[in-house]
Amino acid sequence: MESTNFSGADALLSDFLAQDDVRLLARDAGRLLNCPLLVLDDTFRIAAHYRPDGFADALFDSAVRMGQITYEAGAFISKSPLLSEGKPDYIQIENSDHQRRFALLVSSGVRLGYLICVDAGSRLRAVPEETFRMVERPCSPSSCSWKPPAAMIAPLKPPKKS
């Protein structure tokens, strides 16, 4: 898997807030967590994905190609007591060698969808919770130190009179 050295928090917040690009958010989150991942909307459709070089998984590839996750994965999300409590949950899905970590994707208290990280190298359980929190809750009241560029918050100028 590829390894990238960049400021993870700055890149994530820039992609999420300033650029409004979920594909860049998925790419930077995948690089930060060092894993393939899917970003789902609240209807279980794939909004974006990240696949590092050298990663192969037929189930992941099929989901990306179809634009949605399997019924089994959707049922797991719907029935998981941990996800219902806002906590992440792990599952081993049939037809894949890799366990998945399912978590809510939330910003400012609003559920945007779900994040599914594929544990391709059996490393995800070693990732610090604050790293996951930064990815899964890019701008929660307790963790958002990002300040928008001045151009984003400049006061509106009244229209010129003709």
Side-chain angles (χ1 to χ4, degrees):
M1 289 210 212
E2 67 188 50
S3 171
T4 303
N5 185 6
F6 66 101
S7 174
D10 291 343
L12 285 170
L13 290 174
S14 174
D15 294 343
F16 183 70
L17 298 171
Q19 297 183 42
D20 193 27
D21 191 331
V22 72
R23 291 170 305 176
L24 291 176
L25 176 68
R27 181 201 66 199
D28 290 342
R31 288 177 176 174
L32 180 66
L33 297 170
N34 193 25
C35 72
L37 58 81
L38 301 171
V39 176
L40 309 179
D41 65 19
D42 59 357
T43 64
F44 306 145
R45 295 202 181 274
I46 297 172
H49 72 281
Y50 172 73
R51 176 189 298 118
D53 294 337
F55 174 72
D57 181 81
L59 189 62
F60 183 94
D61 294 340
S62 176
V64 169
R65 194 171 42 260
M66 291 179 11
Q68 61 189 17
I69 59 174
T70 64
Y71 174 79
E72 177 188 25
F76 173 77
I77 290 171
S78 298
K79 294 178 182 178
S80 169
L82 288 174
L83 286 173
S84 295
E85 295 172 12
K87 298 175 184 172
D89 203 351
Y90 287 84
I91 185 173
Q92 180 70 45
I93 297 179
E94 282 185 48
N95 302 321
S96 177
D97 296 332
H98 309 293
Q99 195 173 50
R100 266 83 167 149
R101 182 184 189 275
F102 290 74
L104 297 175
L105 186 59
V106 176
S107 180
S108 298
V110 176
R111 185 184 75 210
L112 304 175
Y114 302 91
L115 183 70
I116 302 176
C117 296
V118 181
D119 198 3
S122 299
R123 295 182 283 257
L124 285 181
R125 291 188 189 264
V127 173
E129 276 305 308
E130 63 263 9
T131 303
F132 279 119
R133 201 170 18 259
M134 179 177 36
V135 171
E136 297 161 0
R137 301 181 188 314
C139 200
S140 66
S142 64
S143 70
C144 193
S145 60
W146 182 82
K147 302 292 183 243
M152 289 179 68
I153 57 172
L156 294 174
K157 295 179 183 177
K160 291 183 180 182
K161 294 183 181 179
S162 47

